[in-house]
């Protein structure tokens, strides 16, 4: 689980931005939003252009050098902050795996070029390299004693290098290392704005329509749409090339994607990923949905939040929609406000004691949180 994240000099974040999930409060309502004192379900609200999407890209930057699931390079264009005199973007993650603390810090010139990396586990140095000085890495993990230290090119992460080139001994630190690598392979970013984008988890996934048909989820998808307020009947339309999903109007079949609204198409993307999220054996560890309700009615937005609160993964959502800033869904320590001065939860943005009965949306609009 991610406990704290910070980024500097990346895209619009010239100064250090810190997102801290450890600042949970003692609210007795909606306890499933917090796990062992760490915020497990979070919603980030911010105005247009403030950096909500860029925060997601920053948190998923490590996918590019620690997995084979390479994100689209165009999502990471203009990598370094335009006003910066320093050509390095820096990232710092703090994690907790089985009560063991891990810190991973690194800097990059662009999406592909690593400058330095430093990993510590249990407050002990695990591995490090600073290519500004040399290509020689330092390894402290048990089992890396004979590992070649000159690892060469800057596109190779020392963590991937360790995993691929050595047999680590069994101990607490190495167990934490493997938990981290598993975590990184189980993180997922997606959004449905001008086009569908996703980062992480699955490489080369099927199309939404083909996935629903192949898994025989047509009836379940229909039930999901009906629950979301879209009354419809779905059938398979036999096409010359391949079967297609269609709306059934008393026997008249029309292809789903020919007449589905933008909101319904966005729901189909959510449904595609939700199948992989709600399974009790799901491998998704961390989920970030950017502008998750861009095409939704506010009641549908609330339904989606409720569904995501039921899954085991740590979840971060971004939105413009103030109507879902309510204690009926989450709690004040799980709602974050992103602005030019940084990011803080509602609970940390006021000296007022917040209670379940408070209308925190109304308070926000009244300026109670300096949003």
């Amino acid at each position: 689980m991610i406990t704290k994240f910070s980024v500097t000099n990346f895209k619009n974040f010239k100064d250090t931005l810190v997102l801290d999930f450890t600042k949970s409060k003692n609210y007795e309502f909606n306890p499933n939003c917090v796990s062992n004192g760490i915020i497990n379900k979070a919603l980030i609200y911010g105005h247009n252009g403030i950096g909500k999407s860029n925060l997601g890209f920053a948190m998923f930057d490590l996918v590019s050098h620690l997995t084979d699931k390479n994100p689209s390079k165009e999502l990471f264009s203009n990598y370094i902050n335009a006003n910066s005199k320093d050509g390095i973007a820096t990232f710092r993650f703090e994690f907790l795996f089985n009560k063991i603390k891990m810190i991973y810090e690194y800097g990059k010139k662009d999406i592909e070029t690593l400058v330095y990396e430093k990993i510590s586990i249990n407050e002990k140095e695990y591995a490090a390299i600073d290519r500004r000085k040399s290509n020689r890495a330092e390894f402290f993990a048990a089992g890396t004693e004979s590992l070649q230290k000159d690892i060469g090119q800057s596109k190779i992460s020392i963590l991937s290098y360790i995993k691929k080139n050595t047999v680590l001994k069994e101990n607490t630190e190495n167990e934490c290392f493997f938990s981290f690598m598993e975590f990184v392979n189980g993180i997922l970013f997606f959004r449905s704005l001008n086009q569908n984008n996703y980062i992480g988890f699955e490489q080369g996934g099927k199309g939404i329509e083909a996935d629903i048909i192949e898994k025989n989820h047509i009836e379940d998808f229909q039930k999901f749409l009906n629950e979301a307020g879209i009354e419809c009947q779905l059938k398979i339309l036999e096409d010359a090339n391949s079967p297609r999903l269609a709306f059934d109007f008393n026997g008249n079949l029309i292809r789903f994607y020919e007449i589905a609204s933008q909101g319904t198409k966005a729901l189909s993307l959510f449904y595609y990923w939700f199948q992989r999220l709600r399974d009790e054996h799901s491998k998704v560890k961390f989920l970030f949905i950017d502008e998750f309700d861009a095409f939704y009615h506010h009641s549908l937005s609330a339904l989606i939040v409720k569904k995501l609160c039921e899954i085991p993964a740590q979840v971060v959502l971004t939105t413009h929609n103030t109507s879902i800033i309510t204690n009926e869904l989450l709690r004040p320590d799980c709602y974050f406000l992103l602005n030019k001065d940084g990011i803080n939860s509602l609970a940390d943005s006021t000296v007022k004691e917040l209670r379940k009965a408070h209308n925190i949306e109304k308070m926000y609009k009244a300026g109670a949180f300096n949003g």
Side-chain angles (χ1 to χ4, degrees):
M1 181 179 292
I2 299 176
T3 58
K4 186 184 292 188
F5 170 74
S6 63
V7 59
T8 307
N9 206 33
F10 174 77
K11 289 186 174 284
N12 70 300
F13 302 123
K14 181 178 185 295
D15 300 318
T16 300
L17 180 81
V18 180
L19 177 57
D20 193 346
F21 295 119
T22 66
K23 292 185 176 182
S24 62
K25 308 300 180 182
N26 295 320
Y27 299 113
E28 295 182 354
F29 56 96
N30 294 332
N32 59 331
C33 299
V34 173
S35 177
N36 297 317
I38 307 300
I39 294 167
N40 195 38
K41 303 292 185 288
L43 187 143
I44 298 173
Y45 179 82
H47 298 298
N48 289 324
I50 202 65
K52 298 186 301 297
S53 297
N54 288 342
L55 175 59
F57 297 149
M59 297 187 79
F60 279 74
D61 178 87
L62 45 61
V63 169
S64 65
H65 61 270
L66 291 180
T67 77
D68 58 0
K69 306 173 182 69
N70 295 321
S72 172
K73 290 183 181 179
E74 66 182 39
L75 297 177
F76 290 84
S77 60
N78 303 305
Y79 192 85
I80 303 297
N81 180 272
N83 292 318
S84 173
K85 297 179 181 179
D86 186 354
I88 301 173
T90 62
F91 307 80
R92 177 186 168 98
F93 291 85
E94 295 185 20
F95 299 93
L96 200 63
F97 300 111
N98 297 320
K99 299 183 179 180
I100 304 300
K101 183 178 180 180
M102 174 178 177
I103 298 175
Y104 178 41
E105 305 173 69
Y106 66 90
K108 294 170 81 171
K109 291 182 178 179
D110 52 53
I111 187 63
E112 296 182 326
T113 311
L114 283 157
V115 176
Y116 71 87
E117 291 176 275
K118 181 180 179 182
I119 307 94
S120 64
I121 299 176
N122 261 342
E123 299 184 349
K124 295 187 294 185
E125 198 166 9
Y126 189 84
I129 187 170
D130 189 339
R131 290 183 170 91
R132 292 168 294 189
K133 299 176 182 178
S134 74
N135 287 328
R136 185 177 176 83
E138 296 294 333
F139 302 114
F140 305 97
T144 61
E145 293 79 7
S146 61
L147 201 57
Q148 172 66 39
K149 292 187 176 182
D150 191 339
I151 67 173
Q153 62 174 300
S154 59
K155 294 182 181 181
I156 299 176
S157 166
I158 54 174
L159 295 184
S160 297
Y161 182 76
I162 290 172
K163 184 179 179 182
K164 293 177 180 178
N165 293 283
T166 190
V167 178
L168 295 173
K169 296 178 181 178
E170 293 186 11
N171 64 19
T172 301
E173 287 75 21
N174 288 337
E175 181 181 341
C176 182
F177 168 76
F178 285 119
S179 293
F180 166 72
M181 296 301 285
E182 180 183 2
F183 181 91
V184 174
N185 277 282
I187 63 176
L188 169 65
F189 169 108
F190 72 85
R191 66 178 181 177
S192 179
L193 294 172
N194 295 328
Q195 60 180 341
N196 295 340
N197 301 117
Y198 79 93
I199 303 171
F201 189 54
E202 290 185 351
Q203 183 76 3
K206 298 185 184 73
I208 298 169
E209 187 175 20
D211 187 77
I212 291 172
I213 293 172
E214 288 181 20
K215 293 183 176 178
N216 198 27
H217 282 168
I218 298 170
E219 185 176 342
D220 186 64
F221 181 45
Q222 175 184 297
K223 180 180 178 182
F224 171 77
L225 291 178
N226 292 167
E227 185 182 3
I230 302 170
E231 296 182 7
C232 63
Q233 294 287 327
L234 299 177
K235 292 286 179 64
I236 292 179
L237 175 63
E238 296 298 338
D239 188 84
N241 298 314
S242 60
R244 298 293 184 180
L245 190 63
F247 289 109
D248 181 3
F249 297 96
N250 297 318
N252 182 23
L253 302 185
I254 302 178
R255 285 183 56 179
F256 181 86
Y257 282 103
E258 286 184 358
I259 61 172
S261 69
Q262 189 62 51
T264 303
K265 291 176 182 177
L267 272 176
S268 70
L269 175 68
F270 176 81
Y271 178 84
Y272 173 90
W273 288 116
F274 194 59
Q275 306 317 301
R276 291 142 176 86
L277 294 165
R278 65 181 178 179
D279 190 321
E280 62 178 337
H281 302 297
S282 174
K283 294 182 180 179
V284 178
K285 309 295 183 183
F286 179 80
L287 171 67
F288 192 108
I289 311 180
D290 188 27
E291 301 291 3
F292 86 101
D293 58 347
F295 304 103
Y296 298 163
H297 184 270
H298 65 82
S299 61
L300 177 54
S301 300
L303 174 66
I304 296 299
V305 173
K306 289 177 181 177
K307 286 186 174 295
L308 290 173
C309 283
E310 297 171 0
I311 69 173
Q314 190 175 15
V315 177
V316 175
L317 308 172
T318 73
T319 187
H320 290 115
N321 184 0
T322 61
S323 70
I324 54 174
I325 302 179
T326 166
N327 288 329
E328 295 300 316
L329 293 174
L330 302 178
R331 15 188 279 187
D333 51 354
C334 296
Y335 291 105
F336 288 82
L337 301 178
L338 176 62
N339 56 45
K340 60 182 178 60
D341 297 319
I343 183 167
N344 288 291
S345 72
L346 295 186
D348 285 332
S349 299
T350 179
V351 295
K352 185 179 180 64
E353 181 182 351
L354 300 176
R355 298 172 183 160
K356 186 177 181 180
H358 280 132
N359 185 328
I360 55 177
E361 179 196 11
K362 186 176 180 180
M363 292 175 64
Y364 168 77
K365 290 182 174 180
F369 306 110
N370 297 316

